[in-house]
Amino acid sequence: FRLLFLTGFVWAADAMEMMLLSFLLPTLAKEWDLSGTVVSFVGAIVFFGMLIGGTGLSILADKFGRRKVVITANAGCAVFGFLSG
């Protein structure tokens, strides 16, 4: 059950980041006087980053093993999330 809870926690953390983006974008648009085009671009670039990251990390996982890559990627996400908060 430990693996189930760990992967569930990682999935929930990722879902919370996406939910935070939906609350953050309107506030940023108002505070920084951003146009709708810029707000859309910021929202889209997040998903483009996920596409590039997922592709790159899957290649690394094939080379070094999924466990090492998943642990490293989640640790990096946690560190940078903590630093940005």
Side-chain angles (χ1 to χ4, degrees):
F1 287 111
R2 188 172 63 174
L3 181 61
L4 178 66
F5 286 114
L6 182 62
T7 54
F9 179 74
V10 169
W11 176 81
D14 187 49
M16 281 188 265
E17 286 181 11
M18 292 297 104
M19 186 176 66
L20 179 66
L21 181 65
S22 69
F23 290 113
L24 185 63
L25 281 178
T27 304
L28 284 178
K30 187 176 179 183
E31 282 289 319
W32 293 348
D33 194 31
L34 300 176
S35 68
T37 304
V38 173
V39 172
S40 299
F41 181 73
V42 170
I45 202 73
V46 169
F47 293 105
F48 182 71
M50 291 172 70
L51 171 72
I52 299 301
T55 303
L57 290 175
S58 65
I59 293 169
L60 290 176
D62 287 342
K63 187 172 184 176
F64 298 110
R66 287 184 179 95
R67 180 184 170 103
K68 289 179 184 177
V69 172
V70 167
I71 290 171
T72 304
N74 288 318
C77 185
V79 167
F80 287 111
F82 180 75
L83 290 175
S84 69

